Amino acid sequence: MLGAMQDWDLRVTHLIDHAARENGMREIVTRWADGSETRTDWAGIRRDALKMVQALRRLGVDKGDRVATLAMNHSRHLVSWYGAVGVGGILHTINPRLFEEQLEYIANHAEDRVLLYDAAFAPLVEKMKPRWTTIEHYICYDNGEFEAWIGAEDGHTEWAQGDERDPCMLCYTSGTTGNPKGVLYEHRSTMLHALVSLQPAIFNADPRAVMLPVVPMFHAASWGLPWGGAAAGIKFVYSAVNDPAVLCELMNREKVTHSAGVPTVWLSMFQHMDQTGETLPHLKTAIIGGSAAPRFMIERLAKSGVDVAHAWGMTETSPIGTTGAKTPDWDELDFDRQISIKQLQGRPPFGVELRCVDLDDPTKVVPRDGETAGALQVRGPWVIKRYFKAEEDATTPDGWFDTGDVGIIHPDGTLQLTDRTKDVIKSGGEWISSVELENAAVGHPDVAEAAAIGMPHPKWDERPVLFVVRKEGSALSSGDLRDYLADKVAKWWLPDAVEFVDDIPHTATGKISKKDLRERFSDYVLET
Ligand code: AMP
C-alpha cells in the first residue's frame, strides 16, 4: 500500500519556483570584476534560467548532458545553475585553479558539451580548447555574450521533468593522489541538503538574511547556497573578485548579515580591517569551513558579535557534514569554553551519521569518548555512494563512506578533526596529530604558516618535523618555538626539528599540500 499524499518530486527546480513566487523581489547583487555592479532578483534569475533552458535546447542539449561553468560568483553563474538543471542537464562546476592536466582530465571525463566561462578565464579556455575533446559550445559570461545568447529567447517554457533520483550536478574533488574524482549529486540529495542547511545551527537563514558567499561557486557545490538560498529567499551579494577592500565595502553598504568562506578569507579581511580601522557592524553569522578555523579567528569574530559556525564537510558530502551547533548547556558556558567548543568541528545535523573506526582495524568502531581517535566514516542521503563512472561503490559493505579524515567524537556528538589518515604521524606505535601540532604552532605571533610531517626515524618509526614560514621581519628560532609549544602539546609530540622555509606548497583549493611538501623534502634526514 502507498501513502495517499500528492506527487511532488524533490527536484531542485521547485526551489527557484518558490524563490520567484514568494521572494521574487529579493535582490541578487553582483559586483563584477571590472568594478561595475548589477542588480536582479529571484524572479529575474528564474526568468533568465528559463531563457537559458530554451537556449540550451537550441544547442541540442538534452537530459543528462553536462553543462560546465568556469566562473566566479555572480548572478549569471546563478542563472546557469538553474538553467543547466532546468533543461534536465547536469551542472558541472569547474575549479579554474586546478592544474591544466586536471582541467583537461575532468572536462573530458565529464564529457562536458557546453562551457560557460568568465572573460577573466578566456586565456585559459583558449589554451585548453585543443585538449578538451567533448565541448561543442563555448559561451562567455561577459562582453554581452551571455545576455545576447539568452536574450534571443522569450522564457515561455517549462522545466524538464523527471525522477527525483536523476543527477543534477557534478563536482570533482582533486584528491592528493591519482586523477580527480567526480561526485554526482541527485535532485533529491541536493534538495534534502538544501532544506537542512537553513536550520539555525548551519546557515540560520530566512528572507531577512543578506548573504555574501565568499566560497566560490565552483568549490564543493559551494556549500549548497545557491539551492538553500532560494528555499529561504535570502538576498545574495556576490563579488566576482575576492579583494578584502571590495568585500568589506560591499558588506557594509549592502548590510550583509551572513558570510561563508574558508579560514584564509578571514585572515586577509582582518589584515585589511586592521589597516583601515573598518568594522563589520551588520555581520551576524559567519560560516567557516573547508579547513580548520584557528581559535584567534573564532574569538575575534565572536568578540565583535558574530556567531561563528565552524563547519566540516567535503565534496563527497554535498558538502555539509557537521557545523558548530550549540550544545544544550551552551548558555551556561563561559566565553572561553564556548570558543573551545566552536574550535571543534561541530555536530552533525539530522541526516548525517558519523562514526570513527580503529585506524589499524576498521572493523572495530571506536567509542565516542572524546579521547579515542579513529578513521571518520559518514553516511546519509547526501553522502556519496559511488564516484562518477566508477565500477565499484565507494562505501564499506555496511554502507559507510570513509572520509580519509581522522577524528575524535565527543560524548555529546561533537566531532573533533585531528588529521587526514595519510598525514597522521606514527611514533612508537602511537599516533601524533599533525594538525594539532600545526594549530598550536600558528598560535605563535611570529608564525605565518606551519605544516608538520612525519619523517622516518630508526627507533620510533616516524617523528614529527615542523616546517614553518615566519612572519616578515621575525627572527623566531627553533628553540623559541619548541619552548612555546612545550605546554600546548604532549611532550612526546614536540617536533624533533623545526625547519624554517620561505613557503609551504598548497593544493589548487588552497589547502596545505603535504604530498608536495614530502616530495620537496624526500631527501631529508632527521638528526638522531
Ligand atoms: P573538499 O572536498 O575539497 O572540500 O575537502 C574536504 C576536506 O577538507 C575534508 O575531508 C577535511 O579534511 C577538510 N576540512 C573541511 N572542513 C574542515 C574543518 N572545518 N576543519 C578541518 N578540516 C576540514
Side-chain angles (χ1 to χ4, degrees), residues 172-174 219-220 223 263 288-293 310-317 319 322 343-345 403-406 417 419-420 435 509 511:
Y172 280 76
T173 168
S174 54
H219 186 228
W223 301 359
I288 307 182
S291 52
H310 182 198
W312 164 83
M314 55 201 309
T315 308
E316 287 90 336
T317 63
T322 59
Q343 223 190 322
L344 307 180
Q345 275 69 16
T403 63
D405 285 323
V406 181
L417 224 61
D419 226 325
R420 297 282 302 162
V435 172
T509 49
K511 298 177 191 186

PDB file of all heavy atoms in Angstrom, residues 172-174 219-220 223 263 288-293 310-317 319 322 343-345 403-406 417 419-420 435 509 511, ligand 1:
ATOM      1  N   TYR A 172      34.038  17.742  -9.131  1.00  0.00           N
ATOM      2  CA  TYR A 172      35.217  16.875  -8.989  1.00  0.00           C
ATOM      3  C   TYR A 172      36.001  17.277  -7.759  1.00  0.00           C
ATOM      4  O   TYR A 172      36.087  18.461  -7.413  1.00  0.00           O
ATOM      5  CB  TYR A 172      36.100  16.956 -10.230  1.00  0.00           C
ATOM      6  CG  TYR A 172      35.573  16.108 -11.356  1.00  0.00           C
ATOM      7  CD1 TYR A 172      34.477  16.539 -12.100  1.00  0.00           C
ATOM      8  CD2 TYR A 172      36.136  14.873 -11.661  1.00  0.00           C
ATOM      9  CE1 TYR A 172      33.957  15.753 -13.112  1.00  0.00           C
ATOM     10  CE2 TYR A 172      35.630  14.081 -12.683  1.00  0.00           C
ATOM     11  CZ  TYR A 172      34.545  14.524 -13.401  1.00  0.00           C
ATOM     12  OH  TYR A 172      34.031  13.745 -14.404  1.00  0.00           O
ATOM     13  N   THR A 173      36.551  16.280  -7.127  1.00  0.00           N
ATOM     14  CA  THR A 173      37.389  16.554  -5.979  1.00  0.00           C
ATOM     15  C   THR A 173      38.795  16.112  -6.332  1.00  0.00           C
ATOM     16  O   THR A 173      38.993  15.011  -6.827  1.00  0.00           O
ATOM     17  CB  THR A 173      36.863  15.862  -4.708  1.00  0.00           C
ATOM     18  OG1 THR A 173      37.845  15.944  -3.706  1.00  0.00           O
ATOM     19  CG2 THR A 173      36.501  14.419  -4.932  1.00  0.00           C
ATOM     20  N   SER A 174      39.747  17.024  -6.148  1.00  0.00           N
ATOM     21  CA  SER A 174      41.109  16.689  -6.544  1.00  0.00           C
ATOM     22  C   SER A 174      41.825  16.113  -5.346  1.00  0.00           C
ATOM     23  O   SER A 174      42.343  16.843  -4.524  1.00  0.00           O
ATOM     24  CB  SER A 174      41.831  17.926  -7.056  1.00  0.00           C
ATOM     25  OG  SER A 174      41.760  18.947  -6.097  1.00  0.00           O
ATOM     26  N   HIS A 219      33.442  25.544  -5.845  1.00  0.00           N
ATOM     27  CA  HIS A 219      34.053  24.672  -4.848  1.00  0.00           C
ATOM     28  C   HIS A 219      33.032  23.928  -4.012  1.00  0.00           C
ATOM     29  O   HIS A 219      32.141  24.533  -3.440  1.00  0.00           O
ATOM     30  CB  HIS A 219      34.983  25.480  -3.930  1.00  0.00           C
ATOM     31  CG  HIS A 219      35.736  24.599  -2.985  1.00  0.00           C
ATOM     32  ND1 HIS A 219      35.830  24.829  -1.654  1.00  0.00           N
ATOM     33  CD2 HIS A 219      36.391  23.422  -3.199  1.00  0.00           C
ATOM     34  CE1 HIS A 219      36.526  23.855  -1.080  1.00  0.00           C
ATOM     35  NE2 HIS A 219      36.870  22.995  -1.999  1.00  0.00           N
ATOM     36  N   ALA A 220      33.183  22.608  -3.946  1.00  0.00           N
ATOM     37  CA  ALA A 220      32.365  21.756  -3.077  1.00  0.00           C
ATOM     38  C   ALA A 220      30.893  22.159  -3.119  1.00  0.00           C
ATOM     39  O   ALA A 220      30.263  22.382  -2.094  1.00  0.00           O
ATOM     40  CB  ALA A 220      32.896  21.796  -1.645  1.00  0.00           C
ATOM     41  N   TRP A 223      28.828  24.861  -0.977  1.00  0.00           N
ATOM     42  CA  TRP A 223      28.109  24.632   0.279  1.00  0.00           C
ATOM     43  C   TRP A 223      26.589  24.624   0.113  1.00  0.00           C
ATOM     44  O   TRP A 223      25.847  24.858   1.056  1.00  0.00           O
ATOM     45  CB  TRP A 223      28.545  25.650   1.347  1.00  0.00           C
ATOM     46  CG  TRP A 223      30.018  25.606   1.640  1.00  0.00           C
ATOM     47  CD1 TRP A 223      30.950  24.769   1.081  1.00  0.00           C
ATOM     48  CD2 TRP A 223      30.738  26.427   2.557  1.00  0.00           C
ATOM     49  NE1 TRP A 223      32.199  25.019   1.592  1.00  0.00           N
ATOM     50  CE2 TRP A 223      32.093  26.038   2.497  1.00  0.00           C
ATOM     51  CE3 TRP A 223      30.358  27.456   3.419  1.00  0.00           C
ATOM     52  CZ2 TRP A 223      33.086  26.643   3.268  1.00  0.00           C
ATOM     53  CZ3 TRP A 223      31.332  28.052   4.184  1.00  0.00           C
ATOM     54  CH2 TRP A 223      32.691  27.649   4.106  1.00  0.00           C
ATOM     55  N   PRO A 263      38.850  29.634   6.058  1.00  0.00           N
ATOM     56  CA  PRO A 263      39.521  30.495   7.043  1.00  0.00           C
ATOM     57  C   PRO A 263      40.435  31.562   6.444  1.00  0.00           C
ATOM     58  O   PRO A 263      40.485  32.687   6.952  1.00  0.00           O
ATOM     59  CB  PRO A 263      40.327  29.507   7.885  1.00  0.00           C
ATOM     60  CG  PRO A 263      39.652  28.196   7.726  1.00  0.00           C
ATOM     61  CD  PRO A 263      39.028  28.199   6.378  1.00  0.00           C
ATOM     62  N   ILE A 288      32.367  29.179   8.635  1.00  0.00           N
ATOM     63  CA  ILE A 288      33.756  28.981   8.223  1.00  0.00           C
ATOM     64  C   ILE A 288      34.001  27.484   8.120  1.00  0.00           C
ATOM     65  O   ILE A 288      33.679  26.731   9.037  1.00  0.00           O
ATOM     66  CB  ILE A 288      34.736  29.585   9.252  1.00  0.00           C
ATOM     67  CG1 ILE A 288      34.391  31.056   9.530  1.00  0.00           C
ATOM     68  CG2 ILE A 288      36.181  29.460   8.763  1.00  0.00           C
ATOM     69  CD1 ILE A 288      35.342  31.744  10.493  1.00  0.00           C
ATOM     70  N   GLY A 289      34.564  27.043   6.991  1.00  0.00           N
ATOM     71  CA  GLY A 289      34.822  25.613   6.835  1.00  0.00           C
ATOM     72  C   GLY A 289      35.799  25.379   5.710  1.00  0.00           C
ATOM     73  O   GLY A 289      36.305  26.315   5.107  1.00  0.00           O
ATOM     74  N   GLY A 290      36.047  24.116   5.420  1.00  0.00           N
ATOM     75  CA  GLY A 290      36.978  23.769   4.345  1.00  0.00           C
ATOM     76  C   GLY A 290      38.336  23.418   4.890  1.00  0.00           C
ATOM     77  O   GLY A 290      39.019  22.549   4.374  1.00  0.00           O
ATOM     78  N   SER A 291      38.761  24.093   5.931  1.00  0.00           N
ATOM     79  CA  SER A 291      39.894  23.658   6.737  1.00  0.00           C
ATOM     80  C   SER A 291      39.690  24.249   8.132  1.00  0.00           C
ATOM     81  O   SER A 291      38.785  25.067   8.324  1.00  0.00           O
ATOM     82  CB  SER A 291      41.242  24.041   6.121  1.00  0.00           C
ATOM     83  OG  SER A 291      41.268  25.399   5.817  1.00  0.00           O
ATOM     84  N   ALA A 292      40.514  23.824   9.069  1.00  0.00           N
ATOM     85  CA  ALA A 292      40.255  24.175  10.468  1.00  0.00           C
ATOM     86  C   ALA A 292      40.359  25.679  10.709  1.00  0.00           C
ATOM     87  O   ALA A 292      41.317  26.323  10.294  1.00  0.00           O
ATOM     88  CB  ALA A 292      41.225  23.426  11.362  1.00  0.00           C
ATOM     89  N   ALA A 293      39.371  26.234  11.381  1.00  0.00           N
ATOM     90  CA  ALA A 293      39.404  27.659  11.727  1.00  0.00           C
ATOM     91  C   ALA A 293      40.203  27.820  13.015  1.00  0.00           C
ATOM     92  O   ALA A 293      39.892  27.182  14.018  1.00  0.00           O
ATOM     93  CB  ALA A 293      37.988  28.185  11.921  1.00  0.00           C
ATOM     94  N   HIS A 310      31.523  26.881  12.729  1.00  0.00           N
ATOM     95  CA  HIS A 310      32.681  26.218  12.145  1.00  0.00           C
ATOM     96  C   HIS A 310      32.191  24.888  11.583  1.00  0.00           C
ATOM     97  O   HIS A 310      31.655  24.062  12.311  1.00  0.00           O
ATOM     98  CB  HIS A 310      33.724  26.016  13.258  1.00  0.00           C
ATOM     99  CG  HIS A 310      34.985  25.381  12.786  1.00  0.00           C
ATOM    100  ND1 HIS A 310      35.880  24.796  13.636  1.00  0.00           N
ATOM    101  CD2 HIS A 310      35.514  25.245  11.561  1.00  0.00           C
ATOM    102  CE1 HIS A 310      36.905  24.325  12.950  1.00  0.00           C
ATOM    103  NE2 HIS A 310      36.707  24.593  11.684  1.00  0.00           N
ATOM    104  N   ALA A 311      32.341  24.710  10.292  1.00  0.00           N
ATOM    105  CA  ALA A 311      31.733  23.553   9.634  1.00  0.00           C
ATOM    106  C   ALA A 311      32.769  22.604   9.050  1.00  0.00           C
ATOM    107  O   ALA A 311      33.811  23.031   8.575  1.00  0.00           O
ATOM    108  CB  ALA A 311      30.823  24.039   8.520  1.00  0.00           C
ATOM    109  N   TRP A 312      32.449  21.318   9.102  1.00  0.00           N
ATOM    110  CA  TRP A 312      33.276  20.314   8.418  1.00  0.00           C
ATOM    111  C   TRP A 312      32.440  19.676   7.321  1.00  0.00           C
ATOM    112  O   TRP A 312      31.247  19.398   7.525  1.00  0.00           O
ATOM    113  CB  TRP A 312      33.741  19.217   9.397  1.00  0.00           C
ATOM    114  CG  TRP A 312      34.253  18.003   8.656  1.00  0.00           C
ATOM    115  CD1 TRP A 312      35.500  17.835   8.137  1.00  0.00           C
ATOM    116  CD2 TRP A 312      33.507  16.830   8.309  1.00  0.00           C
ATOM    117  NE1 TRP A 312      35.570  16.621   7.489  1.00  0.00           N
ATOM    118  CE2 TRP A 312      34.366  15.987   7.583  1.00  0.00           C
ATOM    119  CE3 TRP A 312      32.190  16.411   8.537  1.00  0.00           C
ATOM    120  CZ2 TRP A 312      33.967  14.738   7.089  1.00  0.00           C
ATOM    121  CZ3 TRP A 312      31.785  15.178   8.038  1.00  0.00           C
ATOM    122  CH2 TRP A 312      32.670  14.358   7.330  1.00  0.00           C
ATOM    123  N   GLY A 313      33.065  19.459   6.202  1.00  0.00           N
ATOM    124  CA  GLY A 313      32.372  18.739   5.142  1.00  0.00           C
ATOM    125  C   GLY A 313      33.331  18.482   4.014  1.00  0.00           C
ATOM    126  O   GLY A 313      34.493  18.881   4.076  1.00  0.00           O
ATOM    127  N   MET A 314      32.852  17.816   2.991  1.00  0.00           N
ATOM    128  CA  MET A 314      33.708  17.545   1.849  1.00  0.00           C
ATOM    129  C   MET A 314      32.831  17.418   0.602  1.00  0.00           C
ATOM    130  O   MET A 314      31.617  17.247   0.706  1.00  0.00           O
ATOM    131  CB  MET A 314      34.558  16.305   2.094  1.00  0.00           C
ATOM    132  CG  MET A 314      33.786  15.069   2.463  1.00  0.00           C
ATOM    133  SD  MET A 314      34.815  13.821   3.322  1.00  0.00           S
ATOM    134  CE  MET A 314      36.213  13.679   2.241  1.00  0.00           C
ATOM    135  N   THR A 315      33.468  17.516  -0.565  1.00  0.00           N
ATOM    136  CA  THR A 315      32.728  17.416  -1.814  1.00  0.00           C
ATOM    137  C   THR A 315      31.831  16.176  -1.785  1.00  0.00           C
ATOM    138  O   THR A 315      30.686  16.213  -2.239  1.00  0.00           O
ATOM    139  CB  THR A 315      33.727  17.353  -2.989  1.00  0.00           C
ATOM    140  OG1 THR A 315      34.635  18.455  -2.850  1.00  0.00           O
ATOM    141  CG2 THR A 315      33.037  17.451  -4.317  1.00  0.00           C
ATOM    142  N   GLU A 316      32.335  15.100  -1.213  1.00  0.00           N
ATOM    143  CA  GLU A 316      31.595  13.835  -1.181  1.00  0.00           C
ATOM    144  C   GLU A 316      30.381  13.888  -0.258  1.00  0.00           C
ATOM    145  O   GLU A 316      29.555  12.985  -0.274  1.00  0.00           O
ATOM    146  CB  GLU A 316      32.521  12.698  -0.716  1.00  0.00           C
ATOM    147  CG  GLU A 316      33.550  12.260  -1.744  1.00  0.00           C
ATOM    148  CD  GLU A 316      34.863  13.033  -1.655  1.00  0.00           C
ATOM    149  OE1 GLU A 316      34.848  14.177  -1.132  1.00  0.00           O
ATOM    150  OE2 GLU A 316      35.893  12.502  -2.097  1.00  0.00           O
ATOM    151  N   THR A 317      30.285  14.938   0.591  1.00  0.00           N
ATOM    152  CA  THR A 317      29.128  15.021   1.493  1.00  0.00           C
ATOM    153  C   THR A 317      28.265  16.247   1.167  1.00  0.00           C
ATOM    154  O   THR A 317      27.559  16.752   2.040  1.00  0.00           O
ATOM    155  CB  THR A 317      29.569  15.052   2.972  1.00  0.00           C
ATOM    156  OG1 THR A 317      30.344  16.234   3.199  1.00  0.00           O
ATOM    157  CG2 THR A 317      30.405  13.858   3.370  1.00  0.00           C
ATOM    158  N   PRO A 319      28.216  19.748   0.638  1.00  0.00           N
ATOM    159  CA  PRO A 319      29.276  19.168   1.439  1.00  0.00           C
ATOM    160  C   PRO A 319      28.997  19.165   2.957  1.00  0.00           C
ATOM    161  O   PRO A 319      29.878  18.817   3.705  1.00  0.00           O
ATOM    162  CB  PRO A 319      30.415  20.148   1.167  1.00  0.00           C
ATOM    163  CG  PRO A 319      29.724  21.467   1.136  1.00  0.00           C
ATOM    164  CD  PRO A 319      28.347  21.204   0.582  1.00  0.00           C
ATOM    165  N   THR A 322      29.180  18.472   9.383  1.00  0.00           N
ATOM    166  CA  THR A 322      28.896  18.945  10.742  1.00  0.00           C
ATOM    167  C   THR A 322      29.006  20.469  10.759  1.00  0.00           C
ATOM    168  O   THR A 322      29.669  21.054   9.909  1.00  0.00           O
ATOM    169  CB  THR A 322      29.929  18.430  11.767  1.00  0.00           C
ATOM    170  OG1 THR A 322      31.228  18.882  11.377  1.00  0.00           O
ATOM    171  CG2 THR A 322      29.932  16.922  11.873  1.00  0.00           C
ATOM    172  N   GLN A 343      35.824  25.741  18.261  1.00  0.00           N
ATOM    173  CA  GLN A 343      37.044  25.380  17.545  1.00  0.00           C
ATOM    174  C   GLN A 343      36.973  23.933  17.042  1.00  0.00           C
ATOM    175  O   GLN A 343      37.634  23.580  16.074  1.00  0.00           O
ATOM    176  CB  GLN A 343      38.218  25.525  18.495  1.00  0.00           C
ATOM    177  CG  GLN A 343      39.399  26.175  17.833  1.00  0.00           C
ATOM    178  CD  GLN A 343      40.618  26.074  18.716  1.00  0.00           C
ATOM    179  OE1 GLN A 343      40.525  26.196  19.941  1.00  0.00           O
ATOM    180  NE2 GLN A 343      41.766  25.855  18.102  1.00  0.00           N
ATOM    181  N   LEU A 344      36.162  23.122  17.704  1.00  0.00           N
ATOM    182  CA  LEU A 344      35.952  21.757  17.226  1.00  0.00           C
ATOM    183  C   LEU A 344      35.043  21.841  15.991  1.00  0.00           C
ATOM    184  O   LEU A 344      34.512  22.897  15.678  1.00  0.00           O
ATOM    185  CB  LEU A 344      35.316  20.901  18.325  1.00  0.00           C
ATOM    186  CG  LEU A 344      36.063  20.910  19.664  1.00  0.00           C
ATOM    187  CD1 LEU A 344      35.341  20.039  20.678  1.00  0.00           C
ATOM    188  CD2 LEU A 344      37.495  20.443  19.479  1.00  0.00           C
ATOM    189  N   GLN A 345      34.861  20.716  15.310  1.00  0.00           N
ATOM    190  CA  GLN A 345      34.173  20.813  14.011  1.00  0.00           C
ATOM    191  C   GLN A 345      32.657  20.751  14.113  1.00  0.00           C
ATOM    192  O   GLN A 345      31.967  20.813  13.093  1.00  0.00           O
ATOM    193  CB  GLN A 345      34.715  19.740  13.069  1.00  0.00           C
ATOM    194  CG  GLN A 345      35.990  20.161  12.334  1.00  0.00           C
ATOM    195  CD  GLN A 345      37.212  20.287  13.219  1.00  0.00           C
ATOM    196  OE1 GLN A 345      37.244  19.806  14.349  1.00  0.00           O
ATOM    197  NE2 GLN A 345      38.252  20.936  12.720  1.00  0.00           N
ATOM    198  N   THR A 403      35.980   8.840   5.035  1.00  0.00           N
ATOM    199  CA  THR A 403      36.284  10.219   4.626  1.00  0.00           C
ATOM    200  C   THR A 403      37.764  10.481   4.383  1.00  0.00           C
ATOM    201  O   THR A 403      38.117  11.475   3.773  1.00  0.00           O
ATOM    202  CB  THR A 403      35.823  11.207   5.714  1.00  0.00           C
ATOM    203  OG1 THR A 403      36.581  10.934   6.901  1.00  0.00           O
ATOM    204  CG2 THR A 403      34.343  11.075   5.999  1.00  0.00           C
ATOM    205  N   GLY A 404      38.623   9.613   4.930  1.00  0.00           N
ATOM    206  CA  GLY A 404      40.063   9.914   4.851  1.00  0.00           C
ATOM    207  C   GLY A 404      40.490  10.869   5.942  1.00  0.00           C
ATOM    208  O   GLY A 404      41.654  11.218   6.064  1.00  0.00           O
ATOM    209  N   ASP A 405      39.533  11.321   6.753  1.00  0.00           N
ATOM    210  CA  ASP A 405      39.861  12.179   7.894  1.00  0.00           C
ATOM    211  C   ASP A 405      39.980  11.328   9.153  1.00  0.00           C
ATOM    212  O   ASP A 405      39.387  10.248   9.246  1.00  0.00           O
ATOM    213  CB  ASP A 405      38.750  13.224   8.124  1.00  0.00           C
ATOM    214  CG  ASP A 405      38.794  14.336   7.089  1.00  0.00           C
ATOM    215  OD1 ASP A 405      39.909  14.730   6.692  1.00  0.00           O
ATOM    216  OD2 ASP A 405      37.727  14.803   6.670  1.00  0.00           O
ATOM    217  N   VAL A 406      40.745  11.843  10.106  1.00  0.00           N
ATOM    218  CA  VAL A 406      40.852  11.181  11.407  1.00  0.00           C
ATOM    219  C   VAL A 406      40.160  12.093  12.413  1.00  0.00           C
ATOM    220  O   VAL A 406      40.389  13.302  12.423  1.00  0.00           O
ATOM    221  CB  VAL A 406      42.324  11.001  11.814  1.00  0.00           C
ATOM    222  CG1 VAL A 406      42.422  10.282  13.165  1.00  0.00           C
ATOM    223  CG2 VAL A 406      43.080  10.223  10.755  1.00  0.00           C
ATOM    224  N   LEU A 417      38.218  17.068  14.503  1.00  0.00           N
ATOM    225  CA  LEU A 417      39.043  16.526  13.437  1.00  0.00           C
ATOM    226  C   LEU A 417      40.492  16.634  13.858  1.00  0.00           C
ATOM    227  O   LEU A 417      40.936  17.712  14.242  1.00  0.00           O
ATOM    228  CB  LEU A 417      38.802  17.350  12.175  1.00  0.00           C
ATOM    229  CG  LEU A 417      38.634  16.540  10.918  1.00  0.00           C
ATOM    230  CD1 LEU A 417      37.432  15.633  11.061  1.00  0.00           C
ATOM    231  CD2 LEU A 417      38.445  17.447   9.726  1.00  0.00           C
ATOM    232  N   ASP A 419      43.194  14.949  11.962  1.00  0.00           N
ATOM    233  CA  ASP A 419      44.165  14.776  10.885  1.00  0.00           C
ATOM    234  C   ASP A 419      43.511  14.181   9.642  1.00  0.00           C
ATOM    235  O   ASP A 419      42.337  13.874   9.641  1.00  0.00           O
ATOM    236  CB  ASP A 419      45.297  13.838  11.337  1.00  0.00           C
ATOM    237  CG  ASP A 419      46.660  14.388  10.961  1.00  0.00           C
ATOM    238  OD1 ASP A 419      46.754  15.007   9.895  1.00  0.00           O
ATOM    239  OD2 ASP A 419      47.604  14.212  11.729  1.00  0.00           O
ATOM    240  N   ARG A 420      44.350  13.994   8.615  1.00  0.00           N
ATOM    241  CA  ARG A 420      43.980  13.149   7.485  1.00  0.00           C
ATOM    242  C   ARG A 420      44.645  11.803   7.758  1.00  0.00           C
ATOM    243  O   ARG A 420      45.748  11.763   8.330  1.00  0.00           O
ATOM    244  CB  ARG A 420      44.541  13.715   6.171  1.00  0.00           C
ATOM    245  CG  ARG A 420      44.023  15.066   5.788  1.00  0.00           C
ATOM    246  CD  ARG A 420      42.648  15.035   5.194  1.00  0.00           C
ATOM    247  NE  ARG A 420      42.551  14.202   3.999  1.00  0.00           N
ATOM    248  CZ  ARG A 420      41.383  13.755   3.517  1.00  0.00           C
ATOM    249  NH1 ARG A 420      40.253  14.037   4.132  1.00  0.00           N
ATOM    250  NH2 ARG A 420      41.357  13.016   2.417  1.00  0.00           N
ATOM    251  N   VAL A 435      47.851  17.969  12.532  1.00  0.00           N
ATOM    252  CA  VAL A 435      47.019  19.178  12.530  1.00  0.00           C
ATOM    253  C   VAL A 435      47.088  19.899  13.878  1.00  0.00           C
ATOM    254  O   VAL A 435      47.191  21.131  13.927  1.00  0.00           O
ATOM    255  CB  VAL A 435      45.557  18.826  12.167  1.00  0.00           C
ATOM    256  CG1 VAL A 435      44.653  20.025  12.343  1.00  0.00           C
ATOM    257  CG2 VAL A 435      45.469  18.318  10.746  1.00  0.00           C
ATOM    258  N   THR A 509      42.985  23.956  -4.250  1.00  0.00           N
ATOM    259  CA  THR A 509      41.895  24.530  -3.462  1.00  0.00           C
ATOM    260  C   THR A 509      42.431  25.275  -2.247  1.00  0.00           C
ATOM    261  O   THR A 509      41.690  25.601  -1.327  1.00  0.00           O
ATOM    262  CB  THR A 509      40.869  23.459  -3.024  1.00  0.00           C
ATOM    263  OG1 THR A 509      41.562  22.371  -2.454  1.00  0.00           O
ATOM    264  CG2 THR A 509      40.038  22.981  -4.182  1.00  0.00           C
ATOM    265  N   LYS A 511      44.619  24.387   0.113  1.00  0.00           N
ATOM    266  CA  LYS A 511      44.998  23.704   1.347  1.00  0.00           C
ATOM    267  C   LYS A 511      46.475  23.325   1.286  1.00  0.00           C
ATOM    268  O   LYS A 511      47.040  23.183   0.210  1.00  0.00           O
ATOM    269  CB  LYS A 511      44.146  22.441   1.522  1.00  0.00           C
ATOM    270  CG  LYS A 511      42.692  22.796   1.644  1.00  0.00           C
ATOM    271  CD  LYS A 511      41.804  21.584   1.752  1.00  0.00           C
ATOM    272  CE  LYS A 511      40.373  22.053   1.586  1.00  0.00           C
ATOM    273  NZ  LYS A 511      39.384  21.033   1.794  1.00  0.00           N
TER     274      LYS A 511
HETATM  275  P1  AMP B   1      36.973  19.323  -0.142  1.00  0.00           P
HETATM  276  O1  AMP B   1      36.190  18.157  -0.635  1.00  0.00           O
HETATM  277  O2  AMP B   1      37.954  19.839  -1.125  1.00  0.00           O
HETATM  278  O3  AMP B   1      36.086  20.383   0.395  1.00  0.00           O
HETATM  279  O4  AMP B   1      37.867  18.836   1.083  1.00  0.00           O
HETATM  280  C1  AMP B   1      37.285  18.206   2.201  1.00  0.00           C
HETATM  281  C2  AMP B   1      38.312  18.060   3.292  1.00  0.00           C
HETATM  282  O5  AMP B   1      38.644  19.328   3.854  1.00  0.00           O
HETATM  283  C3  AMP B   1      37.820  17.250   4.469  1.00  0.00           C
HETATM  284  O6  AMP B   1      37.898  15.858   4.238  1.00  0.00           O
HETATM  285  C4  AMP B   1      38.744  17.734   5.585  1.00  0.00           C
HETATM  286  O7  AMP B   1      39.991  17.079   5.546  1.00  0.00           O
HETATM  287  C5  AMP B   1      38.959  19.195   5.234  1.00  0.00           C
HETATM  288  N1  AMP B   1      38.061  20.035   6.044  1.00  0.00           N
HETATM  289  C6  AMP B   1      36.860  20.524   5.700  1.00  0.00           C
HETATM  290  N2  AMP B   1      36.334  21.272   6.687  1.00  0.00           N
HETATM  291  C7  AMP B   1      37.211  21.265   7.711  1.00  0.00           C
HETATM  292  C8  AMP B   1      37.250  21.857   9.027  1.00  0.00           C
HETATM  293  N3  AMP B   1      36.282  22.632   9.495  1.00  0.00           N
HETATM  294  N4  AMP B   1      38.333  21.607   9.798  1.00  0.00           N
HETATM  295  C9  AMP B   1      39.340  20.853   9.342  1.00  0.00           C
HETATM  296  N5  AMP B   1      39.370  20.281   8.116  1.00  0.00           N
HETATM  297  C10 AMP B   1      38.325  20.472   7.303  1.00  0.00           C
END
